[in-house]
Amino acid sequence: QVDLVESGGGSVQAGGSLRLSCSASGLPHSKIAMAWFRQAPGQERKGVAAFERDGRITYAESVKGRFTISRDNAKNTLYLQMNSLKPEDTATYYCAAASDYVLNGFDSFLSVPFAAVDAWGQGTLVTVSS
């Protein structure tokens, strides 16, 4: 059973920074991708940044140049460094993992409909004030 636990959310003023962490356990040995998604109030959950199963890193256009995804394999931890935060970045951020059967047919984990993803963390809230 995959267990993903996020931390690091909080409130920050526009222009500030936050770093989110996702501690993972129970990940399968098959090739997997890991990603950060976010969901703003009243909106659907969307992909933000991903480590793809082939090693690529992908970002949503809205966060390119501001957010950086990284990971520490020894600690089984995924990170999201968020700089130059904007009020529109306000959302609950979720860590997600997907194996081949979820990713097949998609070029990027960020393109997979959130309903098809079966491994989620509980989410951490990020609030950016203007």
Side-chain angles (χ1 to χ4, degrees):
Q1 179 179 345
V2 177
D3 189 28
L4 304 171
V5 180
E6 303 96 335
S7 61
S11 296
V12 64
Q13 289 192 325
S17 298
L18 283 173
R19 189 175 82 153
L20 306 183
S21 300
C22 171
S23 178
S25 61
L27 293 173
H29 292 296
S30 60
K31 289 185 179 179
I32 61 166
M34 293 197 71
W36 289 97
F37 284 67
R38 68 184 180 186
Q39 187 167 16
Q43 298 184 21
E44 67 177 22
R45 197 170 300 184
K46 296 180 180 179
V48 174
F51 273 105
E52 306 294 351
R53 53 182 169 171
D54 61 4
R56 291 175 296 135
I57 291 176
T58 53
Y59 294 98
E61 285 295 327
S62 59
V63 306
K64 279 184 179 178
R66 300 188 298 122
F67 290 12
T68 302
I69 190 172
S70 63
R71 60 188 174 188
D72 185 332
N73 290 331
K75 295 182 179 179
N76 289 327
T77 301
L78 185 72
Y79 302 100
L80 184 68
Q81 177 67 44
M82 306 185 294
N83 298 329
S84 302
L85 283 161
K86 304 175 181 180
E88 52 263 44
D89 294 318
T90 294
T92 298
Y93 284 71
Y94 297 88
C95 178
S99 54
D100 283 344
Y101 76 92
V102 172
L103 298 166
N104 285 341
F106 295 96
D107 180 60
S108 168
F109 189 2
L110 301 186
S111 300
V112 176
F114 79 88
V117 180
D118 58 1
W120 294 101
Q122 82 287 354
T124 185
L125 179 63
V126 171
T127 303
V128 184
S129 59
S130 57

